[in-house]
Amino acid sequence: MREIILGIESSCDDTSAAIIADGILLSNIIASQSVHENYGGVVPELASRMHQQNIVPTVSEALRQAGLNPGELSAIAYTRGPGLLGSLHVGTSFAKGMAIGLGIPLIDVNHLHGHVLSHFVKEKDDDETPEFPFICLLVSGGNSQIVLVKSPYDMEILGQTIDDAAGEAFDKCAKVMGLPYPGGPHIDKLAKEGDPSKFKFSRPHLPGLDYSFSGLKTSFLYTLRDAIKEDPDFIENNKADLCASLQATIVRILLDKLELAIRQTGVKHVAIGGGVSANSGMRDAVSKLCERLGVKAWIPARKFTTDNAAMVAMAGWYKYKNNEFSDISLPPFARTSI
Ligand code: KG4
């Protein structure tokens, strides 16, 4: 019998549905929400409403592209949290209703486990995957964590941010430069034309493997404030250099701790995941770091860096194999770590 898992993701502002059959991805549909662009950030109430509009067509399209009927599904995996509660409720309620209707098991997935396990999503049988144990640097709009992944079921956080996440640092600094939300991809693009050594911003001196990005943000703001007093067009005249210098600082902060974690654990495989792992500067720097340390780097395809249901279906598939099913009464949760 084929094991076919429908994954549903609705934790933030992307409604996504994906199908994995016997460990191979058959479809991965993502409906993004442009409505938030006008507000400079995700508006939770609008996100929930858009999920409600998008969930049925997204799931239908995932089934259609996979060439399957709902009756052929073995189980439904959904993101239980962390995320925006209203958004999570849409995916959770839909998954529960569909599982009850079809009489099949329900599997709750931690969104962060999903990001880590996105490296195991195979589009064809011979796609390679990381070897356990490995380190995953998980960097998104809400998280910056160094995770030691011992198995699909056993993950340990070695370090994490004590304040802002790396994605927040990108987005907040982008906002003061007048770039659209989310700012990370815009900084990435502009940084390609700038000089990364033009400006110096402060880096934290935290012991151990924890991160902090709030000091960098403040240092960025003070640099702009002081410079604008002299030259009102300072941002416009220096945008590319500001972006390149900011990006280089964020990447340096992330990679210094990643290197420490690799040395401390002695792992041979290192992965990155989450929205910020789409950043070109970070992807290059991680590849170079891993080459220097003689470890294998796992850089995800860009389509698997942001929120997607393929990773949820994958995490669900592992739980399915382990007979880990969830009770219909489980509520979604807004906050948690791995
Ligand atoms: O994982 P994700 O899609 O969503 C959640 O955090 O839920 O991550 C979104 C974050 C945003 O902060 C966005 O600016 C950042 O990922 N991001 C990037 C890039 N693409 C997305 N940051 C830097 N460079 C990029 N190319």
Side-chain angles (χ1 to χ4, degrees):
M1 254 266 285
R2 286 172 90 198
E3 290 168 341
I4 304 174
I5 313 292
L6 165 67
I8 294 177
E9 159 64 34
S10 71
S11 65
C12 190
D13 59 343
D14 292 309
T15 320
S16 182
I19 303 226
I20 283 188
D22 296 328
I24 307 289
L25 184 68
L26 299 187
S27 61
N28 184 34
I29 308 300
I30 303 175
S32 299
Q33 305 179 358
S34 54
V35 63
H36 308 286
E37 277 163 18
N38 302 334
Y39 300 91
V42 176
V43 184
E45 173 64 22
L46 293 180
S48 313
R49 291 185 200 187
M50 289 308 295
H51 282 303
Q52 280 190 317
Q53 278 185 29
N54 291 341
I55 190 98
V56 172
T58 305
V59 170
S60 304
E61 183 59 15
L63 282 161
R64 195 193 65 76
Q65 282 197 13
L68 293 167
N69 297 314
E72 292 172 274
L73 296 174
S74 311
I76 300 178
Y78 70 97
T79 300
R80 184 180 168 210
L84 300 172
L85 213 49
S87 293
L88 288 163
H89 266 297
V90 178
T92 303
S93 309
F94 186 90
K96 286 179 180 177
M98 193 165 174
I100 294 172
L102 294 169
I104 57 176
L106 192 63
I107 302 169
D108 66 297
V109 167
N110 179 318
H111 180 77
L112 302 174
H113 282 203
H115 272 303
V116 171
L117 296 174
S118 65
H119 288 275
F120 294 83
V121 174
K122 287 184 172 191
E123 295 184 89
K124 31 184 212 326
D125 230 352
D126 55 358
D127 280 353
E128 289 184 18
T129 55
E131 277 171 25
F132 298 104
F134 67 93
I135 279 179
C136 184
L137 174 60
L138 194 57
V139 271
S140 67
N143 297 279
S144 296
Q145 299 180 329
I146 299 179
V147 184
L148 178 61
V149 189
K150 299 171 197 168
S151 83
Y153 311 101
D154 189 2
M155 303 184 194
E156 183 190 341
I157 296 173
L158 302 180
Q160 61 189 323
T161 183
I162 59 165
D163 41 54
D164 286 350
E168 269 174 292
F170 271 112
D171 295 343
K172 287 178 179 172
C173 293
K175 196 170 180 178
V176 294
M177 288 189 283
L179 296 171
Y181 178 86
H186 297 280
I187 290 184
D188 191 354
K189 202 166 156 216
L190 286 162
K192 293 193 170 84
E193 287 136 40
D195 173 3
S197 57
K198 178 85 181 278
F199 299 103
K200 297 271 173 278
F201 305 115
S202 73
R203 285 188 285 123
H205 297 283
L206 270 185
L209 295 174
D210 283 338
Y211 288 119
S212 166
F213 288 99
S214 67
L216 165 63
K217 185 185 63 191
T218 310
S219 138
F220 186 80
L221 289 178
Y222 282 176
T223 304
L224 293 195
R225 191 197 58 183
D226 295 344
I228 287 170
K229 281 185 200 150
E230 308 285 319
D231 170 13
D233 296 326
F234 174 78
I235 297 180
E236 271 324 303
N237 294 338
N238 294 277
K239 223 173 216 172
D241 292 337
L242 283 167
C243 289
S245 304
L246 174 69
Q247 177 171 298
T249 312
I250 294 177
V251 170
R252 173 89 191 271
I253 295 172
L254 288 169
L255 265 66
D256 280 354
K257 296 286 169 116
L258 179 62
E259 175 166 358
L260 191 60
I262 297 169
R263 291 187 187 280
Q264 282 181 1
T265 55
V267 293
K268 294 283 170 241
H269 286 230
V270 173
I272 56 173
V276 178
S277 68
N279 183 266
S280 333
M282 169 152 169
R283 293 163 82 90
D284 286 353
V286 169
S287 300
K288 286 194 185 113
L289 171 71
C290 289
E291 206 178 307
R292 177 160 62 79
L293 298 180
V295 299
K296 184 158 171 53
W298 293 88
I299 312 289
R302 281 203 163 78
K303 64 181 169 189
F304 294 135
T305 57
T306 44
D307 293 345
N308 66 86
M311 67 185 199
V312 177
M314 196 65 227
W317 188 71
Y318 276 114
K319 282 189 144 189
Y320 183 84
K321 293 264 184 229
N322 220 19
N323 285 319
E324 285 182 50
F325 301 117
S326 53
D327 192 89
I328 204 84
S329 65
L330 276 186
F333 56 78
R335 288 185 177 278
T336 186
S337 51
I338 284 272

